[in-house]
């Protein structure tokens, strides 16, 4: 478990970094927190020619309020997100989700950009990005572009970035008023990647649900449970509809089968967790109206 | 006049003297040694489960930068003999193991080629350049298939994959089971587990060419066993080999066997005269450190209608993996399962038969608890299943069938003798401590509101501190029944106590110092414990099988007492007092009723340095070496109680409360006893709920990293309460009983019973460990169909 030889660069600007990426033409790997990349190097699953360490690039580590939402720099550590008062106030669902990401030592190193780029189908931050319609800014030598979260995760461990692009910033657009949220995860141990998870936001106007977002972990990528969302939108969030929506969420994507759980169990878990997340979201939304 | 007023060290909650060193990074582990000119060895391992090696092409690797040499079986066999774990047991077949696989590989991870290089990085680069051609042979994965005649053979010369068959019987279990009014049975499976010490296996061999002497620094539990085996394998004499176990970061049995890598580092260091180090990485640890617990049991128990056990029968299949491990043999765990199935119960009719079956998986060996986590799981499950059928309280059913307080010593139907033990007392106290009656009410209320709570007991007895009349594994050609201790006061008055055991986390430097200080009359801080060094004593095996406190503690007691007698004799002369008036305390000799006294320092100077002060005819060295042999060993018993909650929707099992009541006899240090129980229970919880080594049908290891092999972390371990009953062992010096393994023995059964109890409204009985969410999901779905 020792990596193959590689070169190492620690550029001090984004321009410099993107230039190295372009120069090495697919043979470079970005090093952020290293919590996912380094194990893969040690197993020799990856043998990049060069590591581009982006930790010395200034101004990539920030949480800034913007238009009722937040913009977060790609190098922001998990621990910073977990403990940020801005996030707690604006996106309490993210604060809650972060507590389920790995262990403290890993959260001290792991970064938002690293987690999203790594695109693990069971990552809580991918779930948040999909749930909250995040907008991702990618930078390359030729400029920047915005990628919607729904277009970013193209498969397990695979994202929509070009090899010469760096994920620079993630924007979470503002939460509508009177929105409640719920987050539920099942993992056998605290800090493990989710076997299954569900997160939801429900926006209420009086007794009606005006907007519903549900995202689930269990399949090849995180997905939105659009059929479930449709059932709930405009409903009064009665028990029957929530039950039906939870069932629909379990069918939002074909579920994975692996050592941890069969696809049957994952579907069962997604249904149960979605139900709990919806109930929590409804409860919080109603509370806010009072 | 000689009233003892001084508080004894034995029995005191003294903080571990090794901890400041270990916790501040000042320990000295094998990998901390960095001798000059050291080379690293890395292994190209088999990626086949069972295959013939048709060609190895090492030349490209040999030319890589920093590579010193590339070695195969052909090279190694010139330097080291193959290993065979022999046994006098009948119906046993030893297997031949070469340090580097010869002709055939038999499990994924088996070392095939060794690369010696300037660094581990360069060695691993070279591994990738080695080309090995394999000719696949049929895998031998399912032990039941492997037992069938005509199954592909792993060791052709054994003629069968069944390496051992053994049976214990008393009375007519088969006949009684035909007519017993109440019978319960099941097919039970205990998943394969790996010890997972925090320090991976690490070896460093240094060769002193001038003296032709080899020193092996090994993260081992058994330096003495290694020394004795390696001198034969390397064909050197034993003064040419010293095996040192420095600080060792846990073992749990996984470091108590001889490993191929140990042979390779010794052979290469000797051959090239340079230090050679091997540091196993976690992948290698998961794939190649001896595994355990892989057993299938078809077991049945019969009761009369009052709940008295009439008969017990079990057919056991032990999946022992690719080799019969040295020195324990493939008999170790399988035979312990059938030896200990009767547990603390009176069972008039018993038949337990086991077959140990070789499969193309990593070899198994000792793992904390050996056999008894399995026997306890199965017996305790059957007791609970019986209680349910009899409509009796499970605690009551146990009490009815225990060997009672007045029935000791008691010979079980497998031939083990329980000395005076606390089966009944442990269970009664456990019910009280956990608040059993109150919990039953809480449970009923919870169930009405859809919450699944359950309580489970596991009561067990284990034989610990075994002596020379009982082998740790039947028929083994080594003596595991004795230990030596030398206690000496040097010319400065310091006390050194020397042992062959090898503490690797148990705190033996503390507990043995407590024993020596008390028995000698020294101060704790004056006693230095030396252990883990094969050169320190004439014979020793090491630390395993809950033996060190009993055997080394016993030897220390005898040696310290002998030195104390010498102190009394010489100070009677020096202080001009009758021996009966001499008191030795706190490192000082007092004459009772006077102010005359001498410190150990003064005494030692008088004995060793002040020429002529002690006349020749009464002069004695202040030193003694004693051997201790507990002959049969002694019994340790306990009851564990777990209270669990199962999430009815996600099937998450949460252990809410955990109580242990145990009797390990006279406790040397209750703080350390508690710590050992806590750690053991944590590992038992791992076995019950999380940990399983999984091979697919191609023999590939699927749990090859800690992402897939789940060990409990602090968050999964509940608060635990440990209570003690201290019945001095009638069989051992000091009254100590061994207690290093008990936590792991009780926990799997207690949790399996608690989970079954929580699911009793669905009629679900747990028969397989670990209890995964998948297993519960399927069982619940099945039962509610
Ligand atoms: C024991 C353990 C448990 C874990 N548990 C969880 C868990 O429960 N949930 C969870 O979500 N995660 C978990 N993780 C993963 C952890 O969150 C990682 O930190 C994260 O996935 C990757 O972040 P990083 O900054 O360490 O990225 P790195 O490891 O540095 O990089 C990961 C990948 O992303 C690329 N990359 C990094 N930054 C950028 C960027 N700005 N632009 C483009 N590409 C980039 C890298 O080239 C690499 O391919 C766990 C990790 C460990 C070791």
């Amino acid at each position: 478990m020792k990596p193959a030889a590689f070169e190492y660069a620690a550029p001090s600007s984004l321009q410099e970094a993107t230039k190295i990426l372009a120069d090495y033409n697919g043979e470079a790997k970005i090093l952020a927190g290293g919590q996912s990349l380094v194990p893969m190097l040690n197993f020799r699953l990856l043998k990049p020619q060069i590591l581009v360490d982006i930790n010395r690039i200034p101004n990539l580590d920030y949480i800034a309020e913007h238009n009722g939402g937040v913009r977060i720099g790609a190098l922001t550590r998990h621990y910073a997100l977990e403990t940020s008062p801005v996030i707690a106030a604006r996106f309490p669902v993210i604060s809650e989700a972060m507590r389920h990401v790995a262990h403290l030592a890993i959260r001290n190193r792991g970064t938002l950009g690293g987690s999203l780029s790594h695109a693990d189908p069971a990552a809580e931050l991918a779930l948040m990005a999909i749930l909250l319609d995040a907008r991702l800014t990618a930078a390359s030598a030729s400029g920047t572009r915005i990628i919607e979260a729904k277009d970013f995760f193209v498969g397990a461990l695979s994202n929509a970035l070009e090899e010469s692009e760096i994920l620079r910033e993630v924007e979470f657009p503002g939460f509508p008023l009177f929105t409640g949220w719920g987050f539920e995860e099942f993992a056998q141990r605290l800090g493990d990647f989710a076997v299954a998870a569900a997160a939801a936001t429900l926006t209420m106007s009086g007794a009606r649900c005006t907007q519903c977002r549900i995202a689930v972990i269990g399949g090849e990528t995180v997905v939105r449970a659009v059929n479930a969302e449709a059932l709930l939108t405009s409903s009064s969030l009665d028990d029957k509809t929530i039950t039906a929506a939870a069932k629909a969420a379990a069918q939002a994507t074909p579920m994975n089968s692996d050592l941890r759980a069969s696809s049957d169990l994952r579907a069962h878990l997604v249904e149960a967790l979605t139900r709990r997340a919806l109930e929590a979201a409804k409860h919080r939304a109603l509370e806010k109206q009072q | 006049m000689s009233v003892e007023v001084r508080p004894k060290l034995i029995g005191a909650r003294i903080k571990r003297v090794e901890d400041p060193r270990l916790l501040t990074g000042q320990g000295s582990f094998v990998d901390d040694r960095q001798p000059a000119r050291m080379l690293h060895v890395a292994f190209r391992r088999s990626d086949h489960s069972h295959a013939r090696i048709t060609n190895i092409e090492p030349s490209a690797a040999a030319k890589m930068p920093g590579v010193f040499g590339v070695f195969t079986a052909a090279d190694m066999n010139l330097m080291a003999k193959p290993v065979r774990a022999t046994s006098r047991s009948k119906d046993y077949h030893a297997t031949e193991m070469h340090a580097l696989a010869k002709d055939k590989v038999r499990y994924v991870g088996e070392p095939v080629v060794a690369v010696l290089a300037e660094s581990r990085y360069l060695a691993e680069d070279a591994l990738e350049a080695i080309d090995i051609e394999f000719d696949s042979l049929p895998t031998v994965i399912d032990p039941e298939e492997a037992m069938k005649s005509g199954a592909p053979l792993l060791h052709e010369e054994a003629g069968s994959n069944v390496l051992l068959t053994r049976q214990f019987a008393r009375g007519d279990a088969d006949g009684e089971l035909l007519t017993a009014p109440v019978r319960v049975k099941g097919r039970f499976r205990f998943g394969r587990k790996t010890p997972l010490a925090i320090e991976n296996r690490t070896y460093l061999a240094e060769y002193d060419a001038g003296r032709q002497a080899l020193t092996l620094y090994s993260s081992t539990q058994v330096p003495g066993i290694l020394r004795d085996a390696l001198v034969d394998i390397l064909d050197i004499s034993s003064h040419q080999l010293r095996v040192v176990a420095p600080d060792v970061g846990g073992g749990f049995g996984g470091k108590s066997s001889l490993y191929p890598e140990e042979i390779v580092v010794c052979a290469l260091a000797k051959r090239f005269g340079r230090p050679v180090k091997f540091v196993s990485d976690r992948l290698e640890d998961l794939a190649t450190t001896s595994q355990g617990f892989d057993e299938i049991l078809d077991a049945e128990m019969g009761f009369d209608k009052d709940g008295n056990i009439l008969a017990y029968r079990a057919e056991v299949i032990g999946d022992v993996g690719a080799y019969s491990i040295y020195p324990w043999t493939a008999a170790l765990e399988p035979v312990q399962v059938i030896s200990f199935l009767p547990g603390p119960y009176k069972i008039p009719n018993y038949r337990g038969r086991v077959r140990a079956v070789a499969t193309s998986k990593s070899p198994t060996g000792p793992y904390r608890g050996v056999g008894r986590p399995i026997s306890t799981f199965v017996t305790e499950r059957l007791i609970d299943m019986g209680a349910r059928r009899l409509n009796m309280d499970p605690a009551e059913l146990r009490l009815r069938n225990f060997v009672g307080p007045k029935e000791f010593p008691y010979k079980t139907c497998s031939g083990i003798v329980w000395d005076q033990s606390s089966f009944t007392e442990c269970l009664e106290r456990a019910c009280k401590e956990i608040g059993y009656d109150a919990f039953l009410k809480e449970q009923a209320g919870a169930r009405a509101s859809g919450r699944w709570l359950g309580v489970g007991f596991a009561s067990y007895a284990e034989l610990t501190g075994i002596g020379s009349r009982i082998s740790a594994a039947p028929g083994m050609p080594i003596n595991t029944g004795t230990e030596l201790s030398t206690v000496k006061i040097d010319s400065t008055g310091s006390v050194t106590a020397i042992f062959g055991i090898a503490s690797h986390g148990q705190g033996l430097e503390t507990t043995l110092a407590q024993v020596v200080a008390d028995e000698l009359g020294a101060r704790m801080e004056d006693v230095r414990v030396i252990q883990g060094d094969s050169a320190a004593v004439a014979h020793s095996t090491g630390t395993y099988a809950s033996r060190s406190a009993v055997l080394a503690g016993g030897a220390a007691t005898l040696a310290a007492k002998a030195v104390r007698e010498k102190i009394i004799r010489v100070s009677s002369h020096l202080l001009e007092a009758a021996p009966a008036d001499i008191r030795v305390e706190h490192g000082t000799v007092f004459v009772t009723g006077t102010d005359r006294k001498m410190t150990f320092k003064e005494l030692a100077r008088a004995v060793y340095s002040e020429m002529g002060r002690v006349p020749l005819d009464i002069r004695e060295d202040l030193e003694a070496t004693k051997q201790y042999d507990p002959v049969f060993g002694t019994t340790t018993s306990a009851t564990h109680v777990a209270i669990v909650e199962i999430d009815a929707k996600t099937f998450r099992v949460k252990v809410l409360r955990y109580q242990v009541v145990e009797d390990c006899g006279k406790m040397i240090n209750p703080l350390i006893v508690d710590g050992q129980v806590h750690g053991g229970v944590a590992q038992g919880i791992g076995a019950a709920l999380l940990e399983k080594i999984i091979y697919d049908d191609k023999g590939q290891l699927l749990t090859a990293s800690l992402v897939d092999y789940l060990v409990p972390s602090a968050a999964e371990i509940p608060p635990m309460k440990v209570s003690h009953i201290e019945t001095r062992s009638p069989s051992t010096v000091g009254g100590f009983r061994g207690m290093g393994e008990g936590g792991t023995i009780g926990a799997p059964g207690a949790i399996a019973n608690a989970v079954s109890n929580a699911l009793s409204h669905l009629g679900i009985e747990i028969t397989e460990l670990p209890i995964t969410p998948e297993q519960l999901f399927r069982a619940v779905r099945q039962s509610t169909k």
Side-chain angles (χ1 to χ4, degrees):
Chain A
M1 276 170 60
K2 301 286 183 208
F6 53 79
E7 296 162 47
Y8 172 83
S12 53
S13 72
L14 212 50
Q15 291 72 9
E16 212 185 311
T18 51
K19 178 163 186 320
I20 303 172
L21 290 179
D23 289 350
Y24 276 80
N25 197 17
E27 295 301 319
K29 267 280 161 196
I30 297 165
L31 172 68
Q35 300 302 296
S36 300
L37 178 62
V38 174
M40 295 176 80
L41 296 177
N42 285 347
F43 278 117
R44 299 196 178 209
L45 293 170
L46 291 175
K47 291 184 198 169
Q49 202 177 326
I50 185 167
L51 287 191
V52 183
D53 182 347
I54 60 172
N55 288 280
R56 313 266 165 90
I57 300 177
N59 305 324
L60 281 180
D61 178 1
Y62 55 86
I63 299 173
E65 297 193 72
H66 173 78
N67 277 350
V70 290
R71 289 178 155 179
I72 309 175
L75 262 185
T76 304
R77 309 285 159 182
H78 297 337
Y79 179 72
L81 274 183
E82 180 190 356
T83 53
S84 156
V86 173
I87 297 294
R90 297 270 171 202
F91 297 99
V93 65
I94 297 182
S95 309
E96 170 67 19
M98 291 319 291
R99 279 192 267 283
H100 295 262
V101 178
H103 312 279
L104 186 57
I106 293 159
R107 295 200 291 271
N108 277 333
R109 296 294 309 159
T111 65
L112 173 63
S115 177
L116 296 179
S117 306
H118 190 58
D120 192 295
E124 290 81 1
L125 277 167
L127 184 74
M128 291 298 107
I130 291 287
L131 175 77
L132 301 169
D133 299 306
R135 295 153 52 85
L136 289 69
T137 305
S140 69
S142 53
T144 62
R145 64 173 177 132
I146 304 258
I147 310 170
E148 301 290 334
K150 67 176 168 37
D151 302 321
F152 186 78
F153 303 103
V154 296
L157 304 184
S158 137
N159 64 39
L161 292 173
E162 302 291 332
E163 276 162 346
S164 58
E165 281 181 319
I166 295 178
L167 178 58
R168 197 187 80 189
E169 182 187 84
V170 181
E171 180 187 349
F172 289 96
F175 235 39
L177 228 52
F178 305 130
T179 297
W181 59 273
F183 173 89
E184 294 288 333
E185 167 167 331
F186 181 80
Q188 273 176 279
R189 298 177 303 179
L190 187 73
D192 278 350
F193 277 105
V195 173
T201 69
L202 291 173
T203 308
M204 306 277 286
S205 172
R208 290 234 156 275
C209 170
T210 54
Q211 194 204 5
C212 164
R213 295 184 291 192
I214 304 172
V216 300
I217 286 176
E220 264 301 281
T221 60
V222 174
V223 293
R224 285 278 283 274
V226 281
N227 291 342
E229 291 174 354
L231 287 172
L232 290 167
T233 310
S234 310
S235 84
S236 61
L237 302 179
D238 54 295
D239 205 53
K240 233 175 92 187
T241 315
I242 287 185
T243 304
K247 270 206 159 45
Q251 275 153 26
T253 179
M255 296 294 163
N256 284 343
S257 250
D258 57 24
L259 283 186
R260 297 283 173 93
S262 65
S263 54
D264 284 356
L265 173 56
R266 277 211 169 76
H268 169 91
L269 287 170
V270 167
E271 181 179 337
L273 298 171
T274 303
R275 198 194 158 84
R276 283 180 187 170
L278 287 169
E279 275 161 5
K282 176 182 166 186
H283 182 77
R284 288 193 175 101
L286 291 174
E287 253 180 0
K288 283 203 178 147
Q289 283 185 323
Q290 271 154 24
Chain B
M1 264 311 278
S2 67
V3 189
E4 197 93 34
V5 284
R6 179 173 61 96
K8 293 275 253 175
L9 291 167
I10 294 178
R13 295 179 77 88
I14 292 174
K15 284 191 185 168
R16 308 197 326 165
V17 298
E18 47 273 83
D19 281 351
R21 170 178 96 232
L22 296 175
L23 298 178
T24 58
Q26 296 182 76
S28 168
F29 297 84
V30 175
D31 199 28
D32 290 318
R33 287 189 75 89
Q34 305 285 348
R37 301 176 67 241
M38 182 170 76
L39 296 171
H40 288 262
V41 66
F43 293 90
R44 177 69 185 272
R45 296 174 182 277
S46 172
D47 50 10
H48 283 62
S49 182
H50 189 201
R52 209 162 285 292
I53 303 167
T54 53
N55 187 39
I56 300 177
E57 194 42 72
S59 51
K63 290 192 209 101
M64 303 264 297
V67 172
F68 191 85
V70 180
F71 309 91
T72 64
D75 309 303
M76 197 51 55
N77 287 341
L78 301 175
M79 302 183 249
K81 288 185 228 160
V83 181
R84 286 172 69 85
T86 58
S87 164
R88 291 184 302 272
S89 289
K90 62 179 174 54
D91 302 324
Y92 166 75
H93 302 288
T95 58
E96 188 168 88
M97 186 196 74
H98 294 255
L100 295 174
K102 180 173 172 283
D103 305 332
K104 241 173 93 154
V105 290
R106 295 180 175 87
Y107 64 97
V108 168
E110 180 163 12
V112 183
V113 184
V115 170
L116 196 56
E118 299 290 343
S119 80
R120 174 74 183 231
Y121 289 85
L122 296 171
E124 289 197 19
D125 289 347
L127 293 182
E128 295 192 327
I130 297 166
D131 210 16
I132 307 178
E133 279 168 31
F134 288 108
D135 202 355
S136 285
L137 293 166
T139 56
V140 188
I141 300 302
D142 178 349
E144 288 182 280
E145 291 297 319
M147 277 171 15
K148 292 183 181 155
S149 69
L153 290 181
L154 216 48
H155 297 274
E156 285 82 359
E157 68 283 4
S160 163
N161 291 318
V162 179
L163 297 184
L164 173 98
T165 306
R166 183 91 181 220
Q167 173 162 306
F168 295 120
R170 175 196 278 175
D172 176 18
D174 298 316
E176 286 292 328
L177 280 169
L178 287 174
T179 56
V182 174
R183 278 165 291 167
V184 287
K185 67 174 177 182
R187 162 159 272 224
F188 298 89
R189 283 169 182 272
F190 206 122
R192 185 174 268 249
K193 196 173 178 312
T194 179
L196 209 79
I198 197 160
E199 181 202 20
N200 291 336
R201 293 189 291 111
T202 305
Y203 311 123
L204 166 66
E206 294 184 28
Y207 191 63
D208 180 336
R211 293 184 173 78
Q212 299 188 0
L214 195 56
T215 304
L216 171 65
Y217 297 90
S218 171
S219 61
T220 186
Q221 301 173 227
V222 289
I225 290 177
L226 294 187
R227 196 265 316 265
D228 293 359
L230 284 168
V231 294
D232 282 344
I233 291 164
L234 301 169
D235 201 14
I236 54 181
S237 65
S238 85
H239 61 256
Q240 290 176 290
L241 176 65
R242 175 176 165 216
V243 180
V244 179
D247 283 327
V248 174
F252 315 115
K255 294 173 179 169
S256 58
S257 302
L258 171 68
Y259 283 92
E261 297 91 345
E262 290 174 307
I263 300 171
V264 171
V265 295
C266 286
L268 294 178
K270 181 165 168 274
R271 170 86 174 69
F272 297 106
R274 287 180 68 169
V276 175
K277 184 185 271 183
F278 168 69
V279 184
S280 142
D281 60 35
R282 191 54 76 186
L283 174 61
E284 291 175 303
D285 181 61
L286 287 164
T288 67
T289 293
S290 68
Q291 302 171 351
F293 288 6
D294 199 348
E295 309 280 332
I296 304 171
L297 291 88
D298 287 297
E300 182 168 11
M301 196 179 267
F303 302 85
D304 70 15
K305 56 186 190 330
D306 299 324
N308 298 302
I309 299 173
L310 296 175
Y312 189 5
R313 175 176 63 198
E315 272 294 333
V316 184
I317 298 167
D319 179 343
V320 298
Y323 292 94
S324 179
I325 203 160
Y326 187 91
W328 311 105
T329 79
L332 177 74
E333 181 143 282
V335 172
Q336 292 219 14
V337 172
I338 55 167
S339 298
F340 289 94
L341 274 173
Y345 302 105
K346 285 180 288 189
I347 294 170
N349 298 284
Y350 174 68
R351 188 167 71 77
R353 183 168 76 124
V354 71
R355 280 165 292 177
V357 184
T359 56
S360 51
K361 305 173 194 168
S362 179
T364 57
Y367 175 78
R368 196 176 196 172
V370 184
R372 292 148 306 179
I374 298 125
S375 62
T376 303
F377 161 58
V378 172
T379 300
E380 291 300 275
R381 282 278 41 241
L382 288 168
I383 295 278
D384 268 30
M385 288 161 75
R388 215 183 271 188
R389 287 278 302 283
L390 287 152
N391 213 4
M392 263 177 91
D393 181 89
E396 204 182 307
L397 183 59
R398 285 181 171 78
L399 289 171
R400 172 175 290 259
N401 286 287
F402 278 156
V403 177
K406 297 204 161 56
E407 294 175 289
F408 298 106
Y410 179 89
K411 187 165 189 172
T412 72
C413 41
S414 57
I416 290 160
V417 176
W418 301 137
D419 60 14
Q420 187 66 46
S421 301
S422 306
F423 304 163
T424 302
E425 296 84 341
C426 284
L427 178 57
E428 284 176 342
R429 173 93 174 268
C431 288
K432 210 158 76 208
E433 295 286 343
I434 200 91
Y436 184 48
D437 296 332
F439 172 77
L440 292 178
K441 290 200 192 83
E442 181 192 340
Q443 180 185 36
R447 204 165 269 168
S449 61
R451 285 176 62 205
W452 298 353
L453 296 184
V455 60
F457 295 96
S459 297
Y460 64 84
E462 52 169 332
L463 191 63
T464 66
I466 49 180
S468 60
R469 291 290 273 280
I470 296 185
S471 182
M476 261 192 326
I478 65 170
N479 168 22
T480 53
T482 59
E483 276 302 328
L484 290 170
S485 168
T486 297
V487 172
K488 58 182 164 193
I489 299 178
D490 67 21
S491 55
T492 69
S494 286
V495 182
T496 307
I498 302 167
F499 300 90
I501 54 94
S503 186
H504 46 281
Q506 294 88 344
L508 287 160
E509 285 175 52
T510 308
T511 45
L512 293 175
Q514 285 176 261
V515 171
V516 170
D518 258 4
E519 297 298 344
L520 192 61
R523 296 178 305 181
M524 181 88 180
E525 59 269 30
D526 292 337
V527 181
R528 170 87 193 274
V529 171
I530 291 180
Q531 44 95 39
D533 185 343
S534 73
V537 292
H539 170 260
S540 168
T541 48
T543 290
Y544 54 89
S546 302
R547 71 193 292 274
S548 292
V550 176
L551 274 82
T557 304
L558 300 176
K561 279 198 162 121
V563 175
R564 186 191 184 108
E565 279 160 21
K566 290 183 173 182
I567 293 172
I568 290 174
R569 280 198 291 272
V570 70
S571 41
S572 140
H573 168 81
L574 292 168
L575 295 169
E576 295 171 359
D581 291 334
I582 304 269
R583 241 167 57 228
V584 190
E585 274 175 15
H586 296 295
T588 305
V589 183
F590 301 89
V591 179
T592 307
T594 73
D595 59 0
R596 268 179 291 153
K597 61 179 181 189
M598 272 181 108
T599 62
F600 277 13
K601 191 173 174 180
E602 291 161 345
L603 187 77
R605 191 180 312 127
V607 170
Y608 293 114
S609 307
E610 293 173 11
M611 296 201 290
R613 174 105 189 256
V614 181
L616 191 56
D617 56 335
I618 63 162
R619 202 182 303 152
E620 294 178 287
D621 291 336
L622 300 176
E623 175 170 344
T625 297
K626 293 284 170 189
Q627 190 196 59
Y628 178 54
D629 178 351
V631 190
F632 288 105
T634 186
T635 309
T636 297
S637 55
T639 289
H640 290 209
V641 201
I643 289 181
V644 303
E645 174 157 15
I646 303 173
D647 184 321
K649 289 290 182 313
T650 65
F651 311 108
R652 184 199 303 277
V653 177
K654 191 160 191 264
V655 185
L656 301 177
R657 286 158 64 197
Y658 204 96
Q659 172 74 49
V660 175
V661 182
E662 62 84 50
D663 184 353
C664 67
K666 177 68 198 162
M667 284 189 285
I668 299 170
N669 186 333
L671 190 66
I672 288 182
V673 171
D674 286 352
Q676 289 288 303
V677 173
H678 292 157
V681 168
Q683 288 185 307
I685 289 173
L689 297 175
L690 292 165
E691 294 180 52
K692 188 176 182 189
I693 289 280
I694 302 171
Y695 285 91
D696 68 10
D697 54 6
K698 303 260 182 314
Q700 293 298 329
L701 176 64
L702 301 184
T703 45
S705 86
L706 294 181
V707 174
D708 293 314
Y709 185 80
L710 305 182
V711 281
S713 69
E716 284 73 49
I717 301 304
M720 266 176 237
K721 276 178 61 190
V722 186
S723 313
H724 309 283
I725 292 170
E726 254 185 293
T727 313
R728 289 183 77 93
S729 168
S731 327
T732 64
V733 164
F736 314 139
R737 305 170 191 256
M739 53 70 52
E741 297 167 278
T744 315
I745 295 174
I751 287 172
N753 277 340
V755 169
S756 303
N757 180 252
L759 298 172
S760 57
H761 60 294
L762 301 172
I764 293 170
E765 300 284 7
I766 295 298
T767 55
E768 186 172 345
L769 297 182
I771 307 163
T772 59
E774 188 76 44
Q775 183 193 336
L776 293 180
F777 167 62
R778 298 202 176 275
V780 169
R781 201 165 60 171
Q782 190 74 31
S783 76
T784 48
K785 240 181 198 159

